[in-house]
Amino acid sequence: MLITFGALAAFFAIVIIVLQASGIRDRNFSEYAVGGRAFDARYQAMSFLNTWYPGSMFTAFGAMAASSGVISFYVLTYSLLTVVLMYLMARPVWVWGKTFDLRTQPDLLSLRFGSRHIKTIAAVVGIVSGIPWLVLGMQALGTLFQYMSLGTLSFSQAVITGVAVIALRQIWTVRMGMRGVVISDMVQGIFAYIVGTAMLVGLIVWMVVAKDITFASLEPRMFAIPSHGSTEGPLYVFSLIFTGAIGGWCWPYIFVRLFTADGVESLKKSAALAVPLSLVFCTALLIFGMFASKIPGVAEHPNDVWFIVSQEAGGLWLLGLAGVVVLAASMGHTDGNIQATGAQIANDLIGNYWKLEERQLILLAKIGMLGLTVLASWLACLELPALFSLGVLAYQGIIQLAVPQFLGIFWRRGNAYGAIAGMMVGFAIAVALELVFPGYLPWAYGLTSGAVALAVNLAIYVAFAYGFPETEAERKRVDELFDLVEKRRASTAPLHPQPAE
Amino acid sequence: MTRADKAPRSKRAAWINAWFVADAIVALAPPIYWAADGKTTPILGLPAAVFYFVAVAVFIAASIVAAYAVDARTGETG
């Protein structure tokens, strides 16, 4: 236990030393919320990965690969497809963000649709939907700490320990804002995805050489992809990949990465840097999981696959390192979630209705982060059997932001009425369908509730776009927004259309 | 094309845009993954079902790296 907990403590200390040494002092809310748009491609790439891939990749998706096989690879497909979207969105989102000092995802929706109310709605949806996943992330640390204690801690004690550690870590997130998040993402990302990938490759080699496990050893069911005649339905995989790819950018803590870069060049380069690492890491993880299904004990406890195999292959030292890798990935995701939510509470909820000074916004964001940390920590220590279902429900709901977000960025048509109506109807349909048909809809060939709701949402958005044409002034304002993106190439002199009240 | 349908123009090479469209097709088109369902025939050392996902992933990753290389050369990254 000294070795495993010592490794975790040493890693925690490294992260804190790096943060303390960075000596961050934020002068205004934009520096606090988006790090002053100061980060180059390397920081951007690692920050994206550290927020995108949480610690549960090693537990939940490792378990899925070990128990269900190749279907788990859908996470690899949508994780890469979403970077294509990032590449395409990079210019308009960054240019609008820089020109109008946008700090959050609802800021962008408010600018594009000239509506203050869409900002509140998007913020509420984002914040409420994020809480179950924040709590789940904290609870996942319970698995980590229980394993690291070598059975000494009960699960509830391990959850409390994990919550205490991640809550302690938030002192620096609250103090340092986005700069602290991005700088620590670099350290955490190196451990989670570079050291983690090296470990995964080593463990795969160990399973092949020492345990004689290959793809040929696996049962045929491990190669099944839901198709015609499957329980889930033939469109289930399509639905998972489609909603995963577009839904990723609906999370406020992912979207805000587009505002932290120091330019469009850095965003695009970060995409090119992130995809090879993402490809190798995720492929190695899923192959590792599939092979590990043959290791004794994994079938009974698939969520522990990463720890079981690490301990068997390399004893307590490798188990300790495995714990560091999961802690590093978990920290990045949790920090990003809490930071983005705090910024939204100040900027999109309170700051949307009251004129606040920069220092007041920073203070409110810090209070919001502190409150969220306390709330999530308290919830994580409770027994909430429906929490995962709530998380899935929240996911099907939040992806309804995708319609106004992507069409708003890439299509000049569309208005606030269609955006708000589509989102709200889509959200209600997604929640209702998910409650009645959890997981997938058997009568829709395996489509998920969110995918069906997206179609309705899209129809409403397009119907309003053509049925309720915007005024001449609004048309001119939107044209200026899009022209700004075009003109940036040729000129540094921006236009400044203002969002309507 | 009307005013409202105009999207910001890009100087990016047409073949890169076509590659991005192909990314979506190979990743999402159900008939492709239906064809890989349960297949264990080795392709480049991987069972066909695994090869399908890995090949799609490599295809998508390569498109982004290629797009950045082309955009950087033509000044599209700014």
Side-chain angles (χ1 to χ4, degrees):
Chain A
M1 196 161 129
L2 189 65
I3 294 170
T4 52
F5 274 44
L8 296 179
F11 170 72
F12 193 93
I14 289 170
V15 173
I16 299 309
I17 288 167
V18 169
L19 284 171
Q20 286 292 123
S22 64
I24 296 163
R25 293 285 182 273
D26 291 316
R27 290 188 299 274
N28 56 48
F29 186 67
S30 288
E31 292 205 357
Y32 189 75
V34 294
R37 303 178 213 280
F39 292 96
D40 67 19
R42 291 166 302 166
Y43 278 97
Q44 281 293 126
M46 202 54 101
S47 188
F48 169 73
L49 289 177
N50 205 200
T51 312
W52 184 262
Y53 288 128
S56 56
M57 283 299 293
F58 292 90
T59 51
F61 277 100
M64 189 180 188
S67 53
S68 303
V70 74
I71 175 65
S72 61
F73 273 73
Y74 84 88
V75 67
L76 170 65
T77 309
Y78 84 68
S79 294
L80 295 175
L81 209 52
T82 207
V83 184
V84 175
L85 288 174
M86 172 172 145
Y87 197 91
L88 296 171
M89 281 194 296
R91 175 175 287 120
V93 173
W94 192 88
V95 169
W96 292 343
K98 173 74 174 172
T99 307
F100 301 102
D101 194 22
L102 308 181
R103 290 98 168 236
T104 62
Q105 174 193 37
D107 260 354
L108 183 128
L109 292 172
S110 175
L111 171 75
R112 168 60 182 84
F113 294 104
S115 164
R116 161 185 287 190
H117 305 301
I118 198 170
K119 190 169 172 173
T120 308
I121 294 166
V124 169
V125 169
I127 292 168
V128 171
S129 301
I131 289 175
W133 292 99
L134 185 61
V135 176
L136 281 167
M138 287 183 163
Q139 287 188 339
L141 287 176
T143 307
L144 163 69
F145 279 91
Q146 189 179 31
Y147 218 96
M148 292 297 113
S149 76
L150 309 176
T152 307
L153 297 179
S154 68
F155 186 70
S156 56
Q157 288 171 327
V159 168
I160 291 169
T161 308
V163 167
V165 168
I166 204 74
L168 181 67
R169 170 68 182 79
Q170 299 319 308
I171 290 172
W172 285 268
T173 307
V174 172
R175 277 181 56 205
M176 299 181 164
M178 183 56 89
R179 280 185 199 266
V181 169
V182 178
I183 289 170
S184 59
D185 278 347
M186 178 59 87
V187 182
Q188 291 156 185
I190 287 169
F191 277 91
Y193 314 114
I194 296 179
V195 174
T197 301
M199 273 185 71
L200 285 164
V201 172
L203 290 171
I204 290 169
V205 171
W206 174 76
M207 285 189 278
V208 172
V209 173
K211 298 289 181 180
D212 202 24
I213 300 170
T214 63
F215 282 115
S217 323
L218 306 181
E219 298 161 35
R221 68 172 183 83
M222 298 292 276
F223 301 98
I225 304 170
S227 179
H228 289 288
S230 65
T231 311
E232 297 87 352
L235 298 182
Y236 181 61
V237 173
F238 160 82
S239 199
L240 290 179
I241 295 172
F242 179 70
T243 56
I246 65 164
W249 290 106
C250 297
W251 293 106
Y253 48 86
I254 298 290
F255 192 87
V256 76
R257 304 288 145 206
L258 298 170
F259 291 146
T260 57
D262 61 9
V264 179
E265 157 81 21
S266 290
L267 273 177
K268 290 190 169 184
K269 190 173 179 182
S270 74
L273 290 174
V275 280
L277 190 50
S278 183
L279 170 68
V280 175
F281 163 72
C282 201
T283 304
L285 174 70
L286 299 172
I287 291 176
F288 159 84
M290 289 181 74
F291 282 11
S293 64
K294 304 303 287 185
I295 299 289
V298 170
E300 294 77 19
H301 303 285
N303 277 321
D304 295 342
V305 58
W306 173 240
F307 304 120
I308 291 171
V309 180
S310 295
Q311 186 173 9
E312 187 165 339
L316 291 181
W317 288 102
L318 198 60
L319 178 63
L321 192 56
V324 167
V325 165
V326 174
L327 182 61
S330 300
M331 273 185 182
H333 186 80
T334 304
D335 302 346
N337 190 333
I338 288 176
Q339 192 280 340
T341 304
Q344 284 197 295
I345 290 170
N347 186 71
D348 305 331
L349 296 183
I350 304 171
N352 200 20
Y353 297 100
W354 285 275
K355 181 76 179 165
L356 299 169
E357 301 294 325
E358 295 285 308
R359 296 191 66 79
Q360 290 174 311
L361 281 169
I362 293 176
L363 181 65
L364 286 170
K366 286 183 175 182
I367 292 170
M369 287 184 212
L370 194 63
L372 183 66
T373 303
V374 171
L375 174 68
S377 301
W378 173 64
L379 290 173
C381 293
L382 301 177
E383 280 192 26
L384 301 170
L387 191 61
F388 184 74
S389 302
L390 267 179
V392 174
L393 198 67
Y395 187 81
Q396 302 300 339
I398 199 174
I399 62 174
Q400 304 307 317
L401 291 177
V403 171
Q405 182 169 287
F406 288 111
L407 291 188
I409 290 170
F410 294 116
W411 194 37
R412 295 185 187 216
R413 277 195 189 274
N415 52 53
Y417 308 113
I420 292 173
M423 264 195 306
M424 295 183 76
V425 172
F427 192 91
I429 290 175
V431 169
L433 288 177
E434 189 62 32
L435 287 172
V436 180
F437 303 102
Y440 55 88
L441 310 177
W443 46 267
Y445 303 100
L447 287 176
T448 57
S449 56
V452 172
L454 271 175
V456 178
N457 184 350
L458 176 66
I460 292 172
Y461 185 95
V462 173
F464 273 77
Y466 285 105
F468 298 88
E470 64 271 52
T471 61
E472 190 56 39
E474 176 65 3
R475 174 182 292 217
K476 184 170 179 291
R477 190 187 69 82
V478 173
D479 275 345
E480 284 181 348
L481 281 178
F482 280 83
D483 292 343
L484 188 68
V485 177
E486 273 302 289
K487 285 177 180 168
R488 186 180 185 276
R489 281 197 203 93
S491 167
T492 54
L495 299 174
H496 292 276
Q498 296 299 317
E501 283 298 313
Chain B
M1 183 178 277
T2 66
R3 156 267 165 196
D5 296 326
K6 280 191 297 185
R9 290 188 310 276
S10 171
K11 289 186 290 185
R12 186 182 299 127
W15 62 270
I16 288 290
N17 289 330
W19 197 343
F20 283 157
V21 172
D23 284 345
I25 293 170
V26 297
L28 294 168
I32 306 178
Y33 68 74
W34 294 341
D37 174 26
K39 299 286 191 303
T40 54
T41 313
I43 303 175
L44 298 178
L46 294 173
V50 177
F51 178 83
Y52 159 70
F53 281 109
V54 174
V56 167
V58 171
F59 187 74
I60 296 171
S63 72
I64 295 166
V65 174
Y68 176 71
V70 170
D71 285 352
R73 205 177 58 227
T74 57
E76 271 280 307
T77 52

